[in-house]
Amino acid sequence: MESIPAIYMSERVAQLLPLYQQFVKEHLRPLEQSAIYGSFKAHLPVLGDLRKKAKSLGLFAPHLTVEEGGLGLSLLEFASISEVLGQSPLGHYVFNCQAPDIGNMELMHRFASEDLKAQYLHPLQKGEIRSCFAMTEPEHAGSNPIHLSTRAVLDGGEYVINGHKWFTSSADGAYFTIVMAVTDPDHSNPYQRASMILVPLDNPGYRLIRNIPIMGDVGEDYLSHGEIEFKDCRVPKSNLIGEAGSGFALAQERLGPGRIHHCMRWIGICERVLELTCKRAMTRELNPNHVLADQQSIQHGIAESAAEIKASRLMVLQTAYLIEKYGAKAAKEDISTIKFYVSNVLMRVIDKAIQVHGALGITDDTLLSFWYRHERGAKIYDGPDEVHKTVLAKRIIQSYSAR
């Protein structure tokens, strides 16, 4: 981290990083195997205690303002913290800055009514409840989000919601969801047909159908992806987030900061995976006094991973800087670039690590299999890589045609 230019690393973050690193090493790493491959729900009491400890140390919810109980870090400052927390699958959860909650917090902070903030946002910020975000539908390609079948129809002072969603991450155990539903199917602009509506999950019209197996891993509670159903689900009209028809605009508001959060978490995973790779290479003997680390092919793989991690970090920090200074719209090309570039680096680094670990790498005796299963989706969610490459390529081509 010392090599990060000063423009990307404030003095305050430089002082905070060792505190987060120590917390992850001392308190989270010992729990990882049992919490990830065992019962996550059974670990909720001890994870709750760790949240209290994080609060007592003044490290909880670093992304929130001081008034909201956080540290008041900027997006750029939080990015470096996110990398450290990403080195443990429990990191973001314990510090209450995990997806999809962090996106919902940002969205509600800017666009929810004061009543919704009091009832749902403030407990979410304190870590007293969790939330989820329902947008993707199994019947439609997620790469074209204007195709949605979920409908929310006004009936007096209530919205009546009917629809089918999946990959509603962390729905199991969540207190509420924000659902993207079509409220004006006949609007001439397809991007102004949908709205975001908050639905408490004790609503009788809501049903969690199942936790979707991810390459065989069903998961539970926070570590799960739900398939859900809304059937004549009634909520007050006042549960609307923002204005009617603004659903896609609000989704775009989530995406810029959300990509920074995801990419820095991925870089944190890469750092941890590279650590596992090097330790394995240094200790695994091929013959007496001859370890994997002596092999030139292994050395090259380690060098390639280290270079890609460093390039990814600087690219994402620069994008965070541009978002803060000029806004997400001005940084659109950079946001697309980091999404597909870092997701590919992530998979290459994990794949190399599995190869170095040999048969051990495909077991659940390390975290590699967990990350390989669950992070393969990085190339799919938040817009598939192909969409982002197309966006970037079109911008590049247009820039040359104007010369």
Side-chain angles (χ1 to χ4, degrees):
M1 301 297 289
E2 292 79 8
S3 61
I4 295 176
I7 192 173
Y8 298 141
M9 173 69 78
S10 70
E11 182 178 342
R12 186 183 183 197
V13 169
Q15 295 172 346
L16 284 171
L17 282 177
L19 302 178
Y20 282 100
Q21 290 166 342
Q22 180 63 29
F23 194 105
V24 170
K25 182 178 180 180
E26 182 178 343
H27 300 292
L28 303 188
R29 289 195 181 192
L31 289 175
E32 290 171 344
Q33 286 289 128
S34 58
I36 297 305
Y37 294 123
S39 170
F40 188 86
K41 286 183 178 179
H43 286 77
L44 289 177
V46 67
L47 293 173
D49 289 340
L50 288 175
R51 284 187 160 194
K52 292 177 183 177
K53 187 172 186 64
K55 287 181 181 180
S56 69
L57 295 172
L59 301 175
F60 193 70
H63 62 294
L64 295 179
T65 65
V66 174
E67 293 74 20
E68 293 169 323
L71 275 69
L73 299 183
S74 67
L75 177 64
L76 181 57
E77 289 177 320
F78 174 64
S80 294
I81 302 298
S82 189
E83 177 182 347
V84 173
L85 300 184
Q87 294 178 27
S88 171
L90 306 175
H92 286 82
Y93 176 86
V94 166
F95 289 89
N96 200 35
C97 50
Q98 71 281 1
D101 295 293
I102 187 171
N104 287 345
M105 290 184 210
E106 292 169 347
L107 190 71
M108 294 184 69
H109 173 79
R110 295 185 60 187
F111 301 105
S113 68
E114 291 305 314
D115 286 344
L116 288 180
K117 287 180 181 179
Q119 190 171 356
Y120 298 100
L121 175 59
H122 297 163
L124 185 66
Q125 291 172 329
K126 294 175 184 177
E128 297 170 354
I129 60 174
R130 282 197 302 99
S131 65
C132 53
F133 185 70
M135 180 171 178
T136 306
E137 299 178 352
E139 294 83 7
H140 302 288
S143 58
N144 190 353
I146 65 170
H147 291 303
L148 294 174
S149 294
T150 301
R151 296 287 187 267
V153 179
L154 268 178
D155 181 20
E158 293 182 319
Y159 277 111
V160 182
I161 306 172
N162 285 280
H164 181 203
K165 302 284 189 179
W166 75 339
F167 283 88
T168 302
S169 299
S170 308
D172 183 12
Y175 189 76
F176 72 90
T177 188
I178 296 177
V179 59
M180 178 84 94
V182 175
T183 50
D184 187 358
D186 299 320
H187 198 288
S188 59
N189 185 342
Y191 293 97
Q192 293 182 20
R193 294 173 183 169
S195 304
M196 288 192 185
I197 303 169
L198 188 148
V199 178
L201 298 189
D202 61 356
N203 191 298
Y206 165 83
R207 181 168 71 99
L208 173 61
I209 298 172
R210 61 170 177 153
N211 288 339
I212 304 166
I214 306 301
M215 297 188 185
D217 185 5
V218 175
E220 63 181 21
D221 201 76
Y222 169 64
L223 294 179
S224 66
H225 302 274
E227 180 180 357
I228 65 177
E229 179 184 47
F230 301 92
K231 189 171 183 180
D232 295 328
C233 181
R234 289 180 170 269
V235 296
K237 182 182 177 181
S238 57
N239 280 23
L240 181 72
I241 307 290
E243 301 294 328
S246 66
F248 290 102
L250 298 185
Q252 289 300 313
E253 292 288 340
R254 290 174 60 111
L255 286 180
R259 297 261 165 72
I260 300 299
H261 303 160
H262 276 310
C263 287
M264 292 306 290
R265 181 177 64 82
W266 296 341
I267 292 167
I269 294 171
C270 288
E271 284 282 12
R272 180 73 181 281
V273 168
L274 182 59
E275 175 190 329
L276 294 172
T277 302
C278 291
K279 288 182 176 179
R280 176 69 171 180
M282 292 164 59
T283 57
R284 186 62 166 177
E285 285 192 340
L286 299 175
N287 291 303
N289 301 317
H290 183 201
V291 294
L292 278 173
D294 297 328
Q295 298 291 103
Q296 193 175 60
S297 61
I298 302 297
Q299 296 168 359
H300 288 182
I302 290 171
E304 289 166 0
S305 292
E308 289 186 313
I309 292 169
K310 182 177 288 188
S312 296
R313 181 186 300 111
L314 292 175
M315 192 182 295
V316 177
L317 291 176
Q318 182 191 38
T319 302
Y321 171 79
L322 292 174
I323 291 173
E324 283 195 343
K325 188 166 185 178
Y326 302 107
K329 188 174 181 181
K332 184 177 180 180
E333 295 174 35
D334 300 88
I335 292 170
S336 285
T337 303
I338 62 173
K339 197 282 176 179
F340 73 77
Y341 182 81
V342 182
S343 66
N344 278 272
V345 168
L346 172 65
M347 294 314 299
R348 286 195 292 269
V349 171
I350 296 175
D351 190 68
K352 286 189 179 83
I354 290 174
Q355 195 70 13
V356 169
H357 281 74
L360 176 64
I362 57 175
T363 71
D364 287 353
D365 291 349
T366 76
L367 290 174
L368 294 176
S369 65
F370 170 80
W371 278 321
Y372 194 83
R373 282 194 292 262
H374 289 275
E375 301 303 338
R376 176 57 181 83
K379 292 165 59 63
I380 299 170
Y381 56 67
D382 272 6
D385 285 3
E386 291 79 3
V387 170
H388 291 285
K389 290 178 182 179
T390 298
V391 168
L392 179 62
K394 285 182 176 179
R395 290 291 188 97
I396 294 171
I397 292 168
Q398 287 171 0
S399 71
Y400 279 98
S401 65
R403 295 179 185 181

